[in-house]
Amino acid sequence: MLNKWMGIVPNASEHGRSVEHMLEVCHWFMLLLFVCWGTFFLISVYKFRKSRHPKADYHGVRGSASSHAEVAVILIEATLLLGFAVPLWNKRVVDVPDQSEAMRIRAIGEQYAWNFHYAGPDGVFGRQNAIFVTPSNPLGLDPTDPAGGDDIVSKNELHVINQRPVVLEVSSKDVIHAVSIPHMRVAQDAIPGTRVPLWFRPIRVGKFEIVCAQLCGAGHFAMRSLILVEKQEAFDAFQKETMSMQHPATASVN
Ligand SMILES: [Cu+2]
């Protein structure tokens, strides 16, 4: 309800609720802080007004209530950080699912599109080299490498399987971009020369938006793609069809 009112898109990933929960706790705490400090400020302004205190008192507060309040704030903030934020961060960034469980897909940004590179049925990414880059081979896949014989590349369309963890290896061909998938509650900068894993488990079949979240040039606004969360059969059909288009020789053998 609150999400809808604030224009936040519905969650479609397993960990999404915990991210929302973290944000909710922080916001409620900030509201509490705002109200308390605001009230304290107004009381002070009224109580220590000039007409009642014509002469300034340089000793300030004498009671210990304000120190207690400060300690309480520190304790609550430490709990937020150590009890909620660090464990969630660890789960999201350190505990990346391994290759046997997850789909590994490379997401490569360029001005102004996203390329998605799948390892194909053999699960091994083919070698890449900039010398092979052409309009029909945007990622420079080495045609002599057998591991790349079943690799497929899709532009502006990321196909994933529902309920299966996805590890996106995010990088860029030119400038800094950022993959942001609001429905999955994930975002990651795409930095040339690095390959950063970003993972999530989609829990709902559907089509969702992927946007570039770094101002990357004049066409930044148009740099949007779709993530298609599909059932296994639909993904297999996509893989087979794309393979037959991109590797007619290999596809006919299989
Ligand atoms: Cu971009």
Side-chain angles (χ1 to χ4, degrees), residues 178-233:
V179 161
S180 172
I181 317 176
H183 288 86
M184 300 296 160
R185 307 293 191 250
V186 290
Q188 170 62 48
D189 272 5
I191 301 160
T194 65
R195 202 172 267 155
V196 185
L198 171 74
W199 79 276
F200 53 92
R201 186 201 290 267
I203 52 168
R204 198 185 299 168
V205 170
K207 265 188 205 173
F208 309 103
E209 199 176 34
I210 303 176
V211 289
C212 179
Q214 283 287 5
L215 185 55
C216 56
H220 167 67
F221 72 96
M223 195 171 159
R224 54 193 286 262
S225 307
L226 286 177
I227 171 169
L228 291 93
V229 181
E230 301 166 326
K231 294 201 170 116
Q232 179 82 47
E233 308 82 67

Short mmCIF file of all heavy atoms in Angstrom, two decimals, residues 178-233:
data_model
loop_
_atom_site.label_atom_id
_atom_site.label_comp_id
_atom_site.label_asym_id
_atom_site.label_seq_id
_atom_site.Cartn_x
_atom_site.Cartn_y
_atom_site.Cartn_z
N ALA A 178 25.35 1.71 -15.22
CA ALA A 178 24.94 0.95 -14.03
C ALA A 178 23.69 0.17 -14.37
O ALA A 178 22.74 0.70 -14.93
CB ALA A 178 24.67 1.87 -12.85
N VAL A 179 23.73 -1.11 -14.04
CA VAL A 179 22.55 -1.97 -14.21
C VAL A 179 21.65 -1.72 -13.01
O VAL A 179 22.08 -1.88 -11.88
CB VAL A 179 22.97 -3.46 -14.20
CG1 VAL A 179 21.79 -4.34 -13.90
CG2 VAL A 179 23.59 -3.86 -15.51
N SER A 180 20.42 -1.34 -13.27
CA SER A 180 19.48 -1.20 -12.17
C SER A 180 18.20 -1.94 -12.53
O SER A 180 17.61 -1.70 -13.58
CB SER A 180 19.19 0.28 -11.91
OG SER A 180 18.14 0.40 -10.99
N ILE A 181 17.81 -2.89 -11.68
CA ILE A 181 16.57 -3.63 -11.92
C ILE A 181 15.69 -3.41 -10.69
O ILE A 181 15.76 -4.16 -9.71
CB ILE A 181 16.83 -5.15 -12.13
CG1 ILE A 181 18.04 -5.36 -13.05
CG2 ILE A 181 15.58 -5.84 -12.70
CD1 ILE A 181 18.42 -6.83 -13.23
N PRO A 182 14.87 -2.35 -10.75
CA PRO A 182 14.11 -1.97 -9.54
C PRO A 182 13.23 -3.11 -8.98
O PRO A 182 13.19 -3.28 -7.76
CB PRO A 182 13.25 -0.80 -10.02
CG PRO A 182 13.98 -0.25 -11.21
CD PRO A 182 14.66 -1.41 -11.86
N HIS A 183 12.58 -3.88 -9.85
CA HIS A 183 11.73 -4.96 -9.34
C HIS A 183 12.52 -6.03 -8.58
O HIS A 183 11.97 -6.73 -7.74
CB HIS A 183 10.98 -5.65 -10.49
CG HIS A 183 9.90 -4.81 -11.09
ND1 HIS A 183 10.14 -3.89 -12.09
CD2 HIS A 183 8.57 -4.74 -10.82
CE1 HIS A 183 9.00 -3.30 -12.41
NE2 HIS A 183 8.04 -3.79 -11.66
N MET A 184 13.80 -6.18 -8.94
CA MET A 184 14.63 -7.19 -8.27
C MET A 184 15.38 -6.59 -7.08
O MET A 184 16.12 -7.29 -6.40
CB MET A 184 15.64 -7.81 -9.25
CG MET A 184 15.00 -8.51 -10.43
SD MET A 184 14.01 -9.92 -9.91
CE MET A 184 12.98 -10.12 -11.36
N ARG A 185 15.22 -5.29 -6.88
CA ARG A 185 15.89 -4.61 -5.76
C ARG A 185 17.41 -4.74 -5.83
O ARG A 185 18.07 -4.98 -4.82
CB ARG A 185 15.40 -5.16 -4.40
CG ARG A 185 13.87 -5.16 -4.24
CD ARG A 185 13.32 -3.74 -4.18
NE ARG A 185 11.93 -3.71 -3.77
CZ ARG A 185 10.91 -3.40 -4.57
NH1 ARG A 185 11.10 -3.13 -5.85
NH2 ARG A 185 9.67 -3.35 -4.11
N VAL A 186 17.95 -4.62 -7.06
CA VAL A 186 19.40 -4.66 -7.22
C VAL A 186 19.87 -3.54 -8.16
O VAL A 186 19.11 -3.10 -9.03
CB VAL A 186 19.91 -6.01 -7.80
CG1 VAL A 186 19.77 -7.13 -6.80
CG2 VAL A 186 19.24 -6.36 -9.11
N ALA A 187 21.11 -3.13 -7.98
CA ALA A 187 21.74 -2.16 -8.88
C ALA A 187 23.25 -2.30 -8.72
O ALA A 187 23.74 -2.62 -7.63
CB ALA A 187 21.32 -0.73 -8.52
N GLN A 188 23.96 -2.13 -9.80
CA GLN A 188 25.42 -2.24 -9.75
C GLN A 188 26.04 -1.41 -10.86
O GLN A 188 25.61 -1.51 -12.02
CB GLN A 188 25.83 -3.73 -9.90
CG GLN A 188 27.31 -3.96 -10.10
CD GLN A 188 28.15 -3.48 -8.92
OE1 GLN A 188 27.85 -3.78 -7.76
NE2 GLN A 188 29.17 -2.69 -9.20
N ASP A 189 27.07 -0.65 -10.52
CA ASP A 189 27.80 0.11 -11.54
C ASP A 189 28.50 -0.85 -12.50
O ASP A 189 28.99 -1.90 -12.10
CB ASP A 189 28.85 1.00 -10.89
CG ASP A 189 28.29 2.37 -10.51
OD1 ASP A 189 27.08 2.56 -10.67
OD2 ASP A 189 29.07 3.22 -10.08
N ALA A 190 28.53 -0.47 -13.77
CA ALA A 190 29.25 -1.24 -14.80
C ALA A 190 30.49 -0.44 -15.15
O ALA A 190 30.40 0.62 -15.78
CB ALA A 190 28.36 -1.43 -16.02
N ILE A 191 31.65 -0.94 -14.73
CA ILE A 191 32.88 -0.18 -14.87
C ILE A 191 33.81 -0.89 -15.85
O ILE A 191 34.08 -2.09 -15.69
CB ILE A 191 33.56 -0.02 -13.49
CG1 ILE A 191 32.60 0.71 -12.55
CG2 ILE A 191 34.89 0.71 -13.59
CD1 ILE A 191 32.89 0.52 -11.10
N PRO A 192 34.27 -0.16 -16.89
CA PRO A 192 35.14 -0.81 -17.87
C PRO A 192 36.35 -1.45 -17.18
O PRO A 192 36.92 -0.88 -16.25
CB PRO A 192 35.60 0.34 -18.77
CG PRO A 192 34.61 1.44 -18.54
CD PRO A 192 34.07 1.26 -17.16
N GLY A 193 36.69 -2.66 -17.62
CA GLY A 193 37.87 -3.33 -17.06
C GLY A 193 37.60 -4.13 -15.80
O GLY A 193 38.48 -4.80 -15.30
N THR A 194 36.37 -4.08 -15.28
CA THR A 194 36.05 -4.89 -14.10
C THR A 194 34.85 -5.77 -14.43
O THR A 194 34.10 -5.50 -15.38
CB THR A 194 35.68 -4.04 -12.87
OG1 THR A 194 34.46 -3.35 -13.16
CG2 THR A 194 36.75 -3.04 -12.52
N ARG A 195 34.68 -6.83 -13.64
CA ARG A 195 33.53 -7.71 -13.82
C ARG A 195 32.99 -7.98 -12.42
O ARG A 195 33.58 -8.75 -11.67
CB ARG A 195 34.00 -9.00 -14.48
CG ARG A 195 32.92 -9.73 -15.19
CD ARG A 195 33.49 -10.89 -15.97
NE ARG A 195 33.80 -10.55 -17.35
CZ ARG A 195 34.71 -11.19 -18.07
NH1 ARG A 195 35.41 -12.17 -17.56
NH2 ARG A 195 34.91 -10.84 -19.32
N VAL A 196 31.91 -7.31 -12.07
CA VAL A 196 31.42 -7.38 -10.69
C VAL A 196 30.16 -8.25 -10.64
O VAL A 196 29.22 -8.03 -11.39
CB VAL A 196 31.09 -5.96 -10.16
CG1 VAL A 196 30.69 -6.02 -8.70
CG2 VAL A 196 32.27 -5.03 -10.35
N PRO A 197 30.14 -9.27 -9.75
CA PRO A 197 28.94 -10.11 -9.68
C PRO A 197 27.79 -9.41 -8.94
O PRO A 197 28.01 -8.73 -7.94
CB PRO A 197 29.42 -11.34 -8.89
CG PRO A 197 30.60 -10.89 -8.11
CD PRO A 197 31.21 -9.72 -8.85
N LEU A 198 26.61 -9.58 -9.47
CA LEU A 198 25.39 -9.03 -8.87
C LEU A 198 24.37 -10.15 -8.94
O LEU A 198 24.13 -10.70 -10.01
CB LEU A 198 24.92 -7.85 -9.73
CG LEU A 198 23.56 -7.28 -9.40
CD1 LEU A 198 23.63 -6.47 -8.12
CD2 LEU A 198 23.07 -6.37 -10.52
N TRP A 199 23.81 -10.54 -7.80
CA TRP A 199 22.92 -11.71 -7.88
C TRP A 199 21.57 -11.50 -7.23
O TRP A 199 21.40 -10.66 -6.35
CB TRP A 199 23.62 -12.94 -7.33
CG TRP A 199 23.64 -13.04 -5.84
CD1 TRP A 199 24.53 -12.45 -5.01
CD2 TRP A 199 22.72 -13.75 -5.01
NE1 TRP A 199 24.22 -12.75 -3.71
CE2 TRP A 199 23.12 -13.55 -3.68
CE3 TRP A 199 21.59 -14.54 -5.27
CZ2 TRP A 199 22.43 -14.11 -2.60
CZ3 TRP A 199 20.91 -15.10 -4.20
CH2 TRP A 199 21.33 -14.88 -2.88
N PHE A 200 20.60 -12.29 -7.69
CA PHE A 200 19.24 -12.26 -7.14
C PHE A 200 18.54 -13.53 -7.57
O PHE A 200 18.99 -14.22 -8.49
CB PHE A 200 18.48 -11.02 -7.65
CG PHE A 200 18.46 -10.88 -9.15
CD1 PHE A 200 17.43 -11.43 -9.91
CD2 PHE A 200 19.49 -10.21 -9.81
CE1 PHE A 200 17.42 -11.30 -11.29
CE2 PHE A 200 19.49 -10.09 -11.20
CZ PHE A 200 18.45 -10.64 -11.94
N ARG A 201 17.44 -13.84 -6.89
CA ARG A 201 16.63 -14.99 -7.31
C ARG A 201 15.24 -14.47 -7.66
O ARG A 201 14.49 -14.03 -6.78
CB ARG A 201 16.53 -16.01 -6.18
CG ARG A 201 15.81 -17.31 -6.60
CD ARG A 201 15.28 -18.06 -5.39
NE ARG A 201 16.32 -18.63 -4.57
CZ ARG A 201 16.76 -19.90 -4.70
NH1 ARG A 201 16.24 -20.67 -5.61
NH2 ARG A 201 17.70 -20.34 -3.91
N PRO A 202 14.88 -14.48 -8.96
CA PRO A 202 13.55 -13.99 -9.32
C PRO A 202 12.48 -14.95 -8.82
O PRO A 202 12.67 -16.17 -8.87
CB PRO A 202 13.57 -13.95 -10.86
CG PRO A 202 14.74 -14.78 -11.28
CD PRO A 202 15.66 -14.95 -10.12
N ILE A 203 11.37 -14.41 -8.34
CA ILE A 203 10.33 -15.29 -7.79
C ILE A 203 8.99 -15.11 -8.51
O ILE A 203 7.99 -15.63 -8.08
CB ILE A 203 10.12 -15.04 -6.27
CG1 ILE A 203 9.89 -13.56 -5.98
CG2 ILE A 203 11.31 -15.56 -5.46
CD1 ILE A 203 9.39 -13.29 -4.58
N ARG A 204 9.00 -14.34 -9.59
CA ARG A 204 7.73 -14.12 -10.28
C ARG A 204 7.97 -14.09 -11.78
O ARG A 204 8.87 -13.38 -12.26
CB ARG A 204 7.16 -12.77 -9.83
CG ARG A 204 5.70 -12.63 -10.13
CD ARG A 204 5.21 -11.26 -9.77
NE ARG A 204 5.36 -10.93 -8.36
CZ ARG A 204 5.20 -9.71 -7.88
NH1 ARG A 204 4.90 -8.72 -8.68
NH2 ARG A 204 5.35 -9.48 -6.60
N VAL A 205 7.18 -14.86 -12.52
CA VAL A 205 7.28 -14.85 -13.98
C VAL A 205 6.75 -13.51 -14.47
O VAL A 205 5.74 -13.02 -13.97
CB VAL A 205 6.45 -16.02 -14.58
CG1 VAL A 205 6.33 -15.90 -16.08
CG2 VAL A 205 7.07 -17.36 -14.20
N GLY A 206 7.45 -12.91 -15.43
CA GLY A 206 6.96 -11.62 -15.95
C GLY A 206 8.06 -10.85 -16.65
O GLY A 206 9.19 -11.32 -16.76
N LYS A 207 7.68 -9.67 -17.14
CA LYS A 207 8.62 -8.78 -17.84
C LYS A 207 8.83 -7.57 -16.97
O LYS A 207 7.87 -6.93 -16.55
CB LYS A 207 7.96 -8.29 -19.13
CG LYS A 207 8.30 -9.08 -20.34
CD LYS A 207 7.72 -8.34 -21.55
CE LYS A 207 7.48 -9.33 -22.67
NZ LYS A 207 6.79 -8.76 -23.80
N PHE A 208 10.10 -7.25 -16.69
CA PHE A 208 10.38 -6.09 -15.85
C PHE A 208 11.44 -5.22 -16.53
O PHE A 208 12.14 -5.68 -17.41
CB PHE A 208 10.86 -6.54 -14.47
CG PHE A 208 9.96 -7.55 -13.82
CD1 PHE A 208 10.32 -8.90 -13.80
CD2 PHE A 208 8.74 -7.18 -13.27
CE1 PHE A 208 9.48 -9.85 -13.22
CE2 PHE A 208 7.90 -8.12 -12.69
CZ PHE A 208 8.27 -9.46 -12.66
N GLU A 209 11.54 -4.00 -16.06
CA GLU A 209 12.42 -3.04 -16.71
C GLU A 209 13.85 -3.06 -16.13
O GLU A 209 14.04 -3.23 -14.93
CB GLU A 209 11.83 -1.64 -16.49
CG GLU A 209 12.34 -0.61 -17.45
CD GLU A 209 11.64 0.73 -17.25
OE1 GLU A 209 11.31 1.07 -16.11
OE2 GLU A 209 11.47 1.43 -18.27
N ILE A 210 14.83 -2.91 -17.03
CA ILE A 210 16.21 -2.70 -16.59
C ILE A 210 16.59 -1.31 -17.09
O ILE A 210 16.38 -0.99 -18.26
CB ILE A 210 17.18 -3.72 -17.24
CG1 ILE A 210 16.75 -5.15 -16.93
CG2 ILE A 210 18.62 -3.47 -16.80
CD1 ILE A 210 17.61 -6.21 -17.63
N VAL A 211 17.13 -0.49 -16.21
CA VAL A 211 17.53 0.84 -16.65
C VAL A 211 19.00 1.08 -16.34
O VAL A 211 19.57 0.42 -15.49
CB VAL A 211 16.67 1.95 -15.99
CG1 VAL A 211 15.26 1.95 -16.51
CG2 VAL A 211 16.68 1.82 -14.48
N CYS A 212 19.58 2.04 -17.07
CA CYS A 212 20.95 2.45 -16.76
C CYS A 212 20.85 3.52 -15.68
O CYS A 212 20.10 4.48 -15.83
CB CYS A 212 21.66 3.00 -17.98
SG CYS A 212 23.33 3.53 -17.60
N ALA A 213 21.58 3.32 -14.58
CA ALA A 213 21.46 4.23 -13.45
C ALA A 213 22.67 5.15 -13.29
O ALA A 213 22.93 5.67 -12.21
CB ALA A 213 21.21 3.44 -12.17
N GLN A 214 23.46 5.32 -14.36
CA GLN A 214 24.55 6.30 -14.33
C GLN A 214 24.41 7.15 -15.60
O GLN A 214 24.31 6.57 -16.69
CB GLN A 214 25.92 5.63 -14.35
CG GLN A 214 26.36 5.02 -13.04
CD GLN A 214 26.77 6.05 -12.02
OE1 GLN A 214 26.64 7.26 -12.24
NE2 GLN A 214 27.22 5.58 -10.88
N LEU A 215 24.45 8.44 -15.42
CA LEU A 215 24.36 9.32 -16.58
C LEU A 215 25.58 9.04 -17.47
O LEU A 215 26.71 9.30 -17.08
CB LEU A 215 24.35 10.78 -16.11
CG LEU A 215 24.13 11.82 -17.21
CD1 LEU A 215 22.87 11.55 -17.99
CD2 LEU A 215 24.11 13.21 -16.61
N CYS A 216 25.33 8.41 -18.66
CA CYS A 216 26.46 7.88 -19.42
C CYS A 216 26.61 8.55 -20.79
O CYS A 216 27.43 8.15 -21.60
CB CYS A 216 26.29 6.38 -19.59
SG CYS A 216 24.74 5.94 -20.36
N GLY A 217 25.83 9.58 -21.05
CA GLY A 217 25.94 10.27 -22.32
C GLY A 217 24.58 10.75 -22.78
O GLY A 217 23.58 10.60 -22.08
N ALA A 218 24.56 11.31 -24.01
CA ALA A 218 23.33 11.94 -24.51
C ALA A 218 22.19 10.94 -24.66
O ALA A 218 21.02 11.31 -24.58
CB ALA A 218 23.63 12.62 -25.85
N GLY A 219 22.51 9.67 -24.90
CA GLY A 219 21.44 8.68 -25.12
C GLY A 219 21.10 7.89 -23.87
O GLY A 219 20.39 6.89 -23.93
N HIS A 220 21.56 8.36 -22.72
CA HIS A 220 21.35 7.64 -21.45
C HIS A 220 19.88 7.31 -21.21
O HIS A 220 19.54 6.20 -20.78
CB HIS A 220 21.91 8.50 -20.31
CG HIS A 220 21.50 8.07 -18.94
ND1 HIS A 220 21.92 6.89 -18.39
CD2 HIS A 220 20.70 8.66 -18.02
CE1 HIS A 220 21.41 6.77 -17.16
NE2 HIS A 220 20.67 7.83 -16.93
N PHE A 221 19.02 8.29 -21.51
CA PHE A 221 17.58 8.11 -21.24
C PHE A 221 16.99 6.91 -21.99
O PHE A 221 16.02 6.31 -21.58
CB PHE A 221 16.81 9.39 -21.62
CG PHE A 221 16.71 9.58 -23.11
CD1 PHE A 221 15.58 9.15 -23.80
CD2 PHE A 221 17.77 10.15 -23.82
CE1 PHE A 221 15.50 9.31 -25.18
CE2 PHE A 221 17.69 10.30 -25.19
CZ PHE A 221 16.56 9.88 -25.89
N ALA A 222 17.62 6.58 -23.13
CA ALA A 222 17.05 5.51 -23.97
C ALA A 222 17.67 4.15 -23.66
O ALA A 222 17.37 3.16 -24.30
CB ALA A 222 17.28 5.84 -25.44
N MET A 223 18.54 4.11 -22.67
CA MET A 223 19.28 2.88 -22.40
C MET A 223 18.48 1.99 -21.46
O MET A 223 18.84 1.79 -20.31
CB MET A 223 20.63 3.23 -21.79
CG MET A 223 21.60 2.08 -21.81
SD MET A 223 23.21 2.62 -21.34
CE MET A 223 23.94 1.07 -20.85
N ARG A 224 17.37 1.49 -21.97
CA ARG A 224 16.57 0.61 -21.13
C ARG A 224 16.38 -0.73 -21.80
O ARG A 224 16.34 -0.85 -23.02
CB ARG A 224 15.24 1.25 -20.75
CG ARG A 224 14.40 1.73 -21.88
CD ARG A 224 13.29 2.61 -21.35
NE ARG A 224 12.27 1.80 -20.68
CZ ARG A 224 11.15 1.42 -21.28
NH1 ARG A 224 10.89 1.75 -22.53
NH2 ARG A 224 10.26 0.70 -20.62
N SER A 225 16.32 -1.74 -20.97
CA SER A 225 16.16 -3.10 -21.47
C SER A 225 15.07 -3.78 -20.68
O SER A 225 14.48 -3.18 -19.78
CB SER A 225 17.46 -3.88 -21.26
OG SER A 225 18.55 -3.21 -21.81
N LEU A 226 14.81 -5.04 -21.03
CA LEU A 226 13.81 -5.81 -20.30
C LEU A 226 14.46 -7.04 -19.71
O LEU A 226 15.36 -7.64 -20.30
CB LEU A 226 12.69 -6.25 -21.24
CG LEU A 226 11.70 -5.19 -21.68
CD1 LEU A 226 10.70 -5.79 -22.66
CD2 LEU A 226 10.95 -4.58 -20.48
N ILE A 227 13.98 -7.42 -18.52
CA ILE A 227 14.34 -8.73 -17.99
C ILE A 227 13.08 -9.58 -18.10
O ILE A 227 12.00 -9.17 -17.68
CB ILE A 227 14.87 -8.66 -16.54
CG1 ILE A 227 15.02 -10.06 -15.96
CG2 ILE A 227 14.01 -7.81 -15.63
CD1 ILE A 227 15.77 -10.11 -14.63
N LEU A 228 13.22 -10.75 -18.74
CA LEU A 228 12.09 -11.66 -18.90
C LEU A 228 12.31 -12.85 -17.98
O LEU A 228 13.23 -13.64 -18.19
CB LEU A 228 11.97 -12.13 -20.35
CG LEU A 228 11.54 -11.02 -21.33
CD1 LEU A 228 12.74 -10.36 -21.95
CD2 LEU A 228 10.65 -11.60 -22.41
N VAL A 229 11.50 -12.93 -16.95
CA VAL A 229 11.58 -14.07 -16.03
C VAL A 229 10.63 -15.13 -16.58
O VAL A 229 9.42 -14.91 -16.69
CB VAL A 229 11.19 -13.67 -14.60
CG1 VAL A 229 11.30 -14.86 -13.67
CG2 VAL A 229 12.04 -12.51 -14.12
N GLU A 230 11.22 -16.28 -16.97
CA GLU A 230 10.44 -17.28 -17.70
C GLU A 230 10.49 -18.64 -17.01
O GLU A 230 11.37 -18.89 -16.18
CB GLU A 230 11.03 -17.45 -19.11
CG GLU A 230 11.03 -16.18 -19.91
CD GLU A 230 11.90 -16.25 -21.17
OE1 GLU A 230 12.93 -16.94 -21.14
OE2 GLU A 230 11.54 -15.62 -22.15
N LYS A 231 9.58 -19.50 -17.43
CA LYS A 231 9.66 -20.88 -16.99
C LYS A 231 10.79 -21.55 -17.78
O LYS A 231 11.16 -21.07 -18.86
CB LYS A 231 8.34 -21.60 -17.28
CG LYS A 231 7.19 -21.04 -16.46
CD LYS A 231 6.07 -22.06 -16.35
CE LYS A 231 5.04 -21.61 -15.33
NZ LYS A 231 3.74 -21.35 -15.92
N GLN A 232 11.29 -22.66 -17.26
CA GLN A 232 12.41 -23.37 -17.88
C GLN A 232 12.18 -23.62 -19.38
O GLN A 232 13.06 -23.34 -20.20
CB GLN A 232 12.63 -24.70 -17.15
CG GLN A 232 13.75 -25.54 -17.70
CD GLN A 232 15.13 -25.10 -17.18
OE1 GLN A 232 15.30 -24.90 -15.99
NE2 GLN A 232 16.08 -24.94 -18.08
N GLU A 233 10.96 -24.08 -19.75
CA GLU A 233 10.70 -24.43 -21.16
C GLU A 233 10.84 -23.19 -22.06
O GLU A 233 11.41 -23.27 -23.15
CB GLU A 233 9.28 -25.00 -21.35
CG GLU A 233 8.89 -26.15 -20.43
CD GLU A 233 8.42 -25.66 -19.07
OE1 GLU A 233 7.36 -25.02 -18.99
OE2 GLU A 233 9.12 -25.92 -18.06
#
